[in-house]
Amino acid sequence: MEDELNVTYITLGGHVEVYKYRILYFVILFTVYILIICSNSIIVYLICFHKSLHEPMYIFIAALLLNSILYSTAIYPKLLIDFLSEKQIISYPACLFQSVIFYSFGGSEFLLLSAMAYDRYVSICKPLQYPTIMTITTVKIILVLAWLLPAGEVTGTISLNANEKLCKYILNGIFCDNAIYKLQCVSSTAQNIFGVVILLNIALLPMLFIVFTYTRILTIIYNSSKDVKKKAAQTCLPHLLVLINFSILCTYNIVKNRLEYDLSKTVHLIMTLQLVVYHPLLNPIIYGLAMKEISKHLKTLFCQAKY
């Protein structure tokens, strides 16, 4: 009983009139969550089931969509519970854990996108060397690093600050992110430095790498035939759309937490929901429609389902 009394609870203060629209919020977000799981899982299933899709490019797509499911699962269950609860609260240890999961899978997203960019770079710029460079062993190593590196860095940083004393207990958000540091009594210089280092490692450096690879790809295909340009566009454009979408939303989240924006609660809620709704929901749509081979298998799957 004493342990329960000693637990520190944080109020998630980013909700807007949840007492009035709790059922509406729950139904909409629950529907979105089911759609995210089903749409992403279908593409992952197709890639695993069909041997013609057992290529590095499609394996990375499957990993990215699986990451979207895990990323969403870190947020939605707690969010749905909060909609039906009288109080939107979370224990401090649980809040730190949610923050670790959120940023770990967010970092994995950037690393997986950079891996996909590298795969396209080798395929288009070094086609003869592609089979020897992008081996199954290379793909496995990339996938392991894409998930372990962000998790290790984020866990280490947050663990260093887990025992910091809190002076505030209301978090301006609907889930736990790095805004949790604003609740601490003293701002740690080491914490800020580690935060910048992690941001460089799992977001900015992968972004610069992606820009470099696509610049090289554009240089190579500039004087190529129309068929080469068309093929490059079909495989590269979906990755760029996903990257741009995710980057914009992450930039908002980072800037919003680092700087004090005088935004209304409603605007802040809408912008935050975009991060956990649009991106994981749009990913399977983009890849399902834009990637010719995946689209072909999707049509076959749905045609079979009708009969």
Side-chain angles (χ1 to χ4, degrees), residues 56-303:
M57 176 175 65
Y58 298 112
I59 293 172
F60 287 136
I61 290 174
L64 189 74
L65 299 184
L66 178 61
N67 195 72
S68 290
I69 295 173
L70 298 172
Y71 175 83
S72 301
T73 303
I75 304 298
Y76 277 87
K78 171 58 179 166
L79 194 57
L80 293 170
I81 291 171
D82 284 340
F83 288 145
L84 300 181
S85 302
E86 290 298 321
K87 294 181 179 179
Q88 291 71 48
I89 59 174
I90 185 171
S91 68
Y92 184 49
C95 192
L96 289 173
F97 179 72
Q98 186 181 53
S99 182
V100 167
I101 300 299
F102 175 71
Y103 285 110
S104 294
F105 288 122
S108 296
E109 195 92 3
F110 279 111
L111 293 180
L112 288 169
L113 285 168
S114 63
M116 295 163 76
Y118 178 67
D119 174 73
R120 292 300 83 211
Y121 164 74
V122 177
S123 175
I124 294 170
C125 301
K126 301 180 180 181
L128 297 178
Q129 300 175 46
Y130 184 81
T132 56
I133 294 176
M134 296 304 297
T135 63
I136 189 64
T137 302
T138 302
V139 172
K140 287 178 181 178
I141 292 172
I142 290 173
L143 291 178
V144 170
L145 291 176
W147 273 309
L148 289 186
L149 283 179
E153 291 191 15
V154 173
T155 301
T157 303
I158 291 182
S159 297
L160 290 174
N161 299 280
N163 295 321
E164 291 289 336
K165 187 179 177 181
L166 300 183
C167 286
K168 299 176 183 177
Y169 300 94
I170 299 177
L171 187 73
N172 184 27
I174 56 175
F175 58 83
C176 296
D177 52 18
N178 61 7
I180 194 171
Y181 296 131
K182 291 186 176 181
L183 305 182
Q184 296 175 355
C185 298
V186 180
S187 179
S188 169
T189 303
Q191 169 196 303
N192 291 329
I193 292 172
F194 277 122
V196 172
V197 171
I198 290 176
L199 183 63
L200 284 170
N201 288 343
I202 66 177
L204 294 180
L205 289 179
M207 280 281 291
L208 291 174
F209 178 76
I210 292 169
V211 170
F212 168 75
T213 54
Y214 278 106
T215 301
R216 292 287 298 146
I217 289 171
L218 290 173
T219 303
I220 294 293
I221 68 171
Y222 181 75
N223 294 319
S224 301
S225 64
K226 287 185 179 181
D227 289 337
V228 173
K229 290 179 180 178
K230 185 178 179 181
K231 185 179 179 181
Q234 287 176 343
T235 57
C236 294
L237 189 58
H239 306 331
L240 286 173
L241 289 175
V242 170
L243 174 67
I244 293 168
N245 176 53
F246 189 62
S247 298
I248 291 172
L249 294 173
C250 285
T251 300
Y252 165 77
N253 181 262
I254 293 169
V255 172
K256 176 264 299 180
N257 288 333
R258 289 291 176 182
L259 304 175
E260 292 292 344
Y261 269 139
D262 187 20
L263 294 176
S264 70
K265 233 180 178 183
T266 304
V267 172
H268 179 57
L269 176 65
I270 292 171
M271 291 299 295
T272 303
L273 283 175
Q274 288 185 63
L275 186 63
V276 295
V277 172
Y278 291 163
H279 181 68
L281 198 56
L282 284 177
N283 278 5
I285 295 173
I286 291 172
Y287 289 118
L289 296 177
M291 302 298 287
K292 189 177 178 181
E293 284 298 312
I294 296 177
S295 179
K296 181 179 70 177
H297 290 298
L298 266 177
K299 289 175 183 176
T300 303
L301 178 67
F302 286 120
C303 286

Side-chain angles (χ1 to χ4, degrees), residues 39-58:
S39 57
N40 283 280
S41 296
I42 288 172
I43 305 296
V44 173
Y45 162 77
L46 289 175
I47 293 171
C48 293
F49 184 78
H50 295 282
K51 289 186 178 180
S52 61
L53 299 179
H54 291 181
E55 298 177 8
M57 176 175 65
Y58 298 112

